[in-house]
Amino acid sequence: MKDYVKFKGVRELLKKDTITVEERVQITEQMMITITDLISAKDTENKDFLNGIIKYGGVPIIGGALVLEVVILGVRY
């Protein structure tokens, strides 16, 4: 949420007529770099989360789901 507020201020700055084209380009490029860094950080966080699930709970959860399916539906051959 704090990043949204920060970018909202930058958008307001870009709307002003008092800044030059070069300043607009520089601000836009810096914003793109910042957004890319935020996306990368979130991607890393999600990968760590998924790796934790797989490492600690993925196999038991999948195994439990399969056992539950067999119990509920029965084995059909």
Side-chain angles (χ1 to χ4, degrees), residues 4-5 14 20 25 34 40 47 59 61 66:
Y4 173 76
V5 173
L14 288 172
T20 65
V25 169
T34 303
S40 176
K47 285 180 183 176
V59 174
I61 290 172
L66 290 175

Side-chain angles (χ1 to χ4, degrees), residues 17-59:
D17 294 331
T18 57
I19 61 174
T20 65
V21 174
E22 293 82 17
E23 289 173 328
R24 285 181 197 274
V25 169
Q26 183 180 7
I27 291 169
T28 304
E29 287 176 354
Q30 186 59 43
M31 233 172 90
M32 288 176 12
I33 291 169
T34 303
I35 290 171
T36 303
D37 291 342
L38 291 171
I39 290 171
S40 176
K42 184 54 84 172
D43 183 52
T44 302
E45 180 183 331
N46 288 338
K47 285 180 183 176
D48 291 342
F49 173 74
L50 292 174
N51 284 335
I53 287 177
I54 291 170
K55 183 177 180 181
Y56 296 113
V59 174

